[in-house]
């Protein structure tokens, strides 16, 4: 359970260091400017996210954050915290349970649920919360490098 820490502050666990129950997280307070940037980058200009008068007439009674923005925070956990650089995302299931709004602090987490040594795959339980409210749940399958592969990546970099 000894991660390699790069000069850029990223943490890399190799497959051999992972254990069921290990958890990583990322937190961010989402601003309306973040939402607008995500809309621009993704092309999702649904007025539910950008137009307060439109969104006020919906079941949400106001603008909400793109669900995929919230889900992207799980990718941040996986790519920078646990297991970190070098892993490859294979799949992700998502269940959106509650809306997120500008100003909310979202805590995204991934917890090692199962290890498949023969193929270096890891099943992660994923979640996003705002306070105690779970706003997103899911499961990810990732391919994680071995210690030798991480060493080769570090030497090449």
């Amino acid at each position: 359970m000894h991660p390699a820490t790069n000069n850029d502050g990223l943490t890399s666990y190799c497959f051999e260091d992972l254990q069921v129950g290990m958890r990583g997280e990322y937190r961010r307070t989402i601003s309306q400017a973040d939402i607008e940037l995500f809309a621009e980058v993704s092309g999702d200009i649904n007025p539910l996210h950008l137009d307060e008068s439109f969104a006020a007439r919906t079941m949400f009674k106001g603008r909400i954050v793109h669900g995929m923005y919230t889900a992207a925070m799980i990718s941040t956990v996986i790519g920078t915290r646990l297991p970190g650089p070098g892993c490859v995302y294979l799949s992700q299931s998502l269940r959106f349970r509650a809306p997120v709004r500008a100003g909310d602090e979202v805590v995204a987490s991934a917890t090692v649920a199962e290890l498949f040594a023969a193929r270096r795959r890891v099943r992660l339980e994923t979640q996003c919360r705002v306070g105690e409210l779970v706003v997103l749940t899911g499961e990810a399958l990732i391919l994680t490098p071995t210690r030798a592969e991480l060493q080769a990546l570090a030497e090449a970099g």
Side-chain angles (χ1 to χ4, degrees), residues 106-133:
V106 176
V107 178
S109 65
T111 303
V112 176
E114 194 171 2
L115 299 164
F116 304 97
R119 300 189 70 196
R120 300 179 345 268
R121 284 169 170 62
V122 181
R123 184 174 63 84
L124 299 165
E125 293 175 358
T126 57
Q127 181 181 89
C128 292
R129 290 181 293 101
V130 173
E132 295 302 312
L133 178 64

Side-chain angles (χ1 to χ4, degrees), residues 42-120:
S42 69
D44 182 353
I45 57 170
N46 183 333
L48 182 59
H49 309 300
L50 303 171
D51 182 334
E52 185 59 40
S53 64
F54 174 90
R57 296 188 304 271
T58 70
M59 64 186 264
F60 299 109
K61 306 292 184 216
R63 290 180 294 197
I64 62 171
V65 175
H66 299 77
M68 294 310 291
Y69 182 108
T70 306
M73 292 177 65
I74 294 168
S75 180
T76 302
V77 174
I78 292 169
T80 67
R81 308 288 199 279
L82 180 77
C87 69
V88 177
Y89 229 134
L90 300 174
S91 67
Q92 173 77 54
S93 67
L94 301 169
R95 181 166 181 243
F96 299 98
R97 300 181 56 168
V100 175
R101 300 182 188 279
D104 285 347
E105 181 185 53
V106 176
V107 178
S109 65
T111 303
V112 176
E114 194 171 2
L115 299 164
F116 304 97
R119 300 189 70 196
R120 300 179 345 268

